[in-house]
C-alpha cells in the first residue's frame, strides 16, 4: 500500500518556518470553487446517496431511541450521538480516499457541495413563480413543500410572500453559514497545523449541515418534540447568529447595486428583523422586504416591511436576483478575504 505521506504529505505539511503550504491553500480554494460549480451545474446529489438524507436517517434512528426520555437530556443525547456517528462515517470515508489524492479531492469536493444548496434554493422559487403563472392550485401544492403553514387557501399574494420568505431565510443556512465556517476553519488549519486537517476541514461544514437538519426535523415546540428538539434548536440559533447578520448586510448591498431600495432595505432590516420568532431568520427576509418595498406576512407570526405596493409574482423574480447577487458577493468577499489573510500573514 502506498504510504500516506507520499501522496498528500506535501499538501498537509508546512515548511521549516511553519508557513502554511501553498498547496494546502490551493486545495482549500479549488475544492470550494469546484464544489460551487458542481452545485450550480448539477444541483443536488441523488437522494439515495445524499449526505443530508443519510443525516436524516441517523437523526431518526437516535430520535426513536431517546424520545421516551421526557426531558431535555433526550435532545442532548441525539445531538451527541448523531454528531459522533457522522464523524465516524466521514472518517472512514476519509481513510479510504486518502490512499489517492485525486480520489480524495473528488470525494471532498462532492461532499462539500452537499453542505449547501444554491441551485435548488433559487430554482425552487423560480418553479413556484412559473406554477403560479399557470395555475394557482399547482402553485399552492408547490409552495406546500417549502413552508410548514397550510397552503390550501393561500391567495396569490400570500403564495408569493411564502416563497420569498422561504428562499431568503435559507440564504443563511443553505449557503452563507456552512461556507463561512469552512473558510474560518480553513484559516485555522493553514496556520495551526493539526493531524487529519482535510478531514476536519470537511467535518466542520458537515456538522453544521447536521445541526441544521436536526433543527428542521426536531426543533418544534410540539408536545412530542418540545424536549428532544430543544438543544437542536438552540445550537442552530447559535451557529446562525453571526452568518444571518452577515447575509442580511449582503442583501442590503445587493439591493443598492441592483438599483432597488437599499436604504429602505437596511431600515426595515434593523426595524423588523426581530419580529420573527427565530433570532436569525428575519435579517435576510426583512432586508429583502425593504429592498422590494413589499410586505412579507406569515399570519399570526410576523409582518416584515411596509405595505407600499401590492405584492405580485414578479417580486419573486426580483427576490431571486437579489438573493443570487447576495450569494455571489458573499462568495467573492470570503474568497478574497481568505486569500488576503493568507498572503499577509
Amino acid at each position: 500500500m502506498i504510504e500516506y505521506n507520499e501522496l498528500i504529505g506535501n499538501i498537509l505539511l508546512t515548511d521549516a518556518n511553519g508557513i502554511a503550504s501553498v498547496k494546502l491553500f490551493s486545495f482549500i480554494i479549488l475544492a470550494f470553487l469546484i464544489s460551487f460549480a458542481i452545485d450550480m451545474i448539477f444541483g443536488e446529489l441523488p437522494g439515495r446517496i445524499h449526505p443530508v438524507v443519510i443525516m436524516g436517517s441517523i437523526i431518526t434512528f437516535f430520535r426513536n431511541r431517546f424520545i421516551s426520555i421526557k426531558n431535555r437530556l433526550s435532545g442532548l443525547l441525539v445531538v451527541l450521538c448523531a454528531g459522533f456517528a457522522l464523524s465516524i462515517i466521514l472518517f472512514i470515508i476519509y481513510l479510504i480516499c486518502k490512499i489517492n489524492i485525486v480520489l480524495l479531492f473528488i470525494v471532498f469536493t462532492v461532499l462539500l457541495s452537499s453542505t449547501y444548496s444554491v441551485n435548488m434554493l433559487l430554482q425552487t422559487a423560480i418553479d413556484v413563480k412559473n406554477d403560479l403563472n399557470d395555475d394557482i392550485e399547482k402553485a399552492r401544492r408547490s409552495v406546500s413543500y417549502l413552508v410548514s403553514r397550510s397552503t390550501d387557501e393561500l391567495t396569490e399574494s400570500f403564495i408569493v410572500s411564502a416563497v420569498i420568505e422561504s428562499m431568503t431565510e435559507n440564504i443563511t443556512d443553505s449557503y452563507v453559514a456552512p461556507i463561512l465556517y469552512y473558510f474560518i476553519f480553513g484559516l485555522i488549519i493553514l496556520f495551526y497545523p493539526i493531524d487529519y486537517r482535510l478531514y476536519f476541514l470537511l467535518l466542520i461544514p458537515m456538522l453544521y449541515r447536521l445541526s441544521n437538519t436536526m433543527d428542521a426535523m426536531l426543533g418544534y415546540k410540539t408536545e412530542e418534540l418540545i424536549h428532544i428538539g430543544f438543544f437542536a434548536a438552540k445550537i442552530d440559533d447559535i451557529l446562525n447568529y453571526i452568518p444571518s447578520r452577515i447575509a442580511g448586510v449582503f442583501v442590503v448591498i445587493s439591493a443598492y447595486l441592483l438599483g432597488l431600495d437599499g436604504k429602505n432595505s437596511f431600515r426595515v432590516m434593523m426595524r423588523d428583523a426581530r419580529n420573527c420568532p427565530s433570532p436569525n431568520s428575519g435579517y435576510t427576509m426583512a432586508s429583502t422586504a425593504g429592498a422590494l418595498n413589499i410586505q412579507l406576512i406569515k399570519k399570526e407570526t410576523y409582518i416584515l416591511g411596509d405595505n407600499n405596493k401590492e405584492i405580485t409574482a414578479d417580486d419573486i423574480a426580483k427576490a431571486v436576483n437579489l438573493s443570487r447577487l447576495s450569494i455571489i458577493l458573499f462568495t467573492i468577499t470570503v474568497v478574497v478575504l481568505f486569500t488576503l489573510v493568507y498572503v499577509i500573514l
Side-chain angles (χ1 to χ4, degrees), residues 71-81 227-228 231-232 235:
N71 57 57
R72 292 174 180 175
L73 175 63
S74 59
L76 179 60
L77 289 172
V78 171
V79 168
L80 294 176
C81 291
H227 296 302
I228 201 168
F231 278 102
I235 291 173

Side-chain angles (χ1 to χ4, degrees), residues 28-316:
I28 294 170
I29 293 290
L30 287 176
F32 164 68
L33 293 177
I34 294 176
S35 74
F36 189 82
I38 290 171
D39 178 73
M40 294 304 297
I41 296 171
F42 300 106
E44 299 300 303
L45 295 173
R48 290 184 178 180
I49 62 170
H50 200 297
V52 174
V53 175
I54 296 171
M55 290 176 193
S57 299
I58 293 172
I59 294 166
T60 299
F61 175 83
F62 289 113
R63 171 194 177 277
N64 293 340
R65 296 299 180 279
F66 300 127
I67 198 167
S68 59
I69 303 174
K70 299 300 181 181
N71 57 57
R72 292 174 180 175
L73 175 63
S74 59
L76 179 60
L77 289 172
V78 171
V79 168
L80 294 176
C81 291
F84 180 75
L86 176 64
S87 301
I88 294 299
I89 293 171
L90 189 62
F91 190 64
I92 292 172
I93 294 172
Y94 173 78
L95 289 178
I96 293 171
C97 295
K98 77 172 189 178
I99 63 172
N100 184 285
I101 186 59
V102 176
L103 176 62
L104 177 64
F105 185 80
I106 292 172
V107 173
F108 186 100
T109 54
V110 171
L111 289 178
L112 180 61
S113 73
S114 73
T115 65
Y116 58 91
S117 183
V118 176
N119 182 302
M120 187 175 72
L121 179 69
L122 302 178
Q123 189 58 49
T124 300
I126 294 171
D127 291 342
V128 176
K129 179 183 181 296
N130 293 336
D131 290 343
L132 190 58
N133 291 334
D134 293 337
D135 177 58
I136 193 169
E137 287 299 329
K138 187 177 181 181
R140 285 169 177 160
R141 288 193 297 273
S142 297
V143 82
S144 68
Y145 298 109
L146 303 179
V147 296
S148 57
R149 73 199 76 168
S150 173
T151 63
D152 294 340
E153 298 181 359
L154 288 184
T155 62
E156 177 178 335
S157 63
F158 279 106
I159 290 174
V160 173
S161 180
V163 172
I164 294 176
E165 292 164 48
S166 175
M167 176 181 61
T168 55
E169 176 184 1
N170 285 305
I171 291 173
T172 298
D173 51 21
S174 288
Y175 186 70
V176 171
I179 298 309
L180 180 65
Y181 289 124
Y182 171 80
F183 278 106
I184 288 174
F185 195 78
L187 285 175
I188 293 173
I189 67 169
L190 275 172
F191 297 108
Y192 298 96
I194 60 174
D195 293 334
Y196 304 109
R197 291 191 223 179
L198 295 182
Y199 163 71
F200 285 108
L201 180 63
L202 183 57
L203 179 63
I204 296 302
M206 292 289 283
L207 286 177
Y208 170 82
R209 180 54 56 208
L210 177 69
S211 170
N212 188 247
T213 305
M214 279 193 285
D215 179 57
M217 294 177 64
L218 306 177
Y220 299 96
K221 295 181 179 180
T222 62
E223 182 178 353
E224 181 186 30
L225 300 176
I226 186 67
H227 296 302
I228 201 168
F230 176 82
F231 278 102
K234 291 303 179 184
I235 291 173
D236 189 70
D237 286 345
I238 293 169
L239 292 178
N240 283 322
Y241 188 86
I242 293 176
S244 65
R245 285 147 180 83
I246 292 174
V249 170
F250 275 98
V251 171
V252 173
I253 296 171
S254 299
Y256 277 108
L257 294 178
L258 289 173
L260 300 172
D261 198 337
K263 182 178 180 181
N264 195 49
S265 176
F266 181 76
R267 182 183 69 84
V268 173
M269 179 180 73
M270 298 305 294
R271 186 193 70 189
D272 293 350
R274 295 179 182 82
N275 290 352
C276 300
S278 164
N280 304 315
S281 63
Y283 283 87
T284 46
M285 290 194 292
S287 55
T288 299
L292 302 182
N293 273 300
I294 59 175
Q295 200 167 63
L296 301 177
I297 301 174
K298 183 177 181 180
K299 292 182 179 180
E300 300 179 357
T301 307
Y302 55 72
I303 298 176
L304 307 173
D306 301 309
N307 190 20
N308 293 330
K309 72 178 187 69
E310 182 180 357
I311 187 170
T312 67
D314 290 338
D315 289 310
I316 296 178

Side-chain angles (χ1 to χ4, degrees), residues 12-39:
L12 300 179
L13 295 179
T14 58
D15 63 23
N17 296 318
I19 304 301
S21 166
V22 173
K23 291 186 178 181
L24 177 56
F25 169 81
S26 301
F27 187 104
I28 294 170
I29 293 290
L30 287 176
F32 164 68
L33 293 177
I34 294 176
S35 74
F36 189 82
I38 290 171
D39 178 73

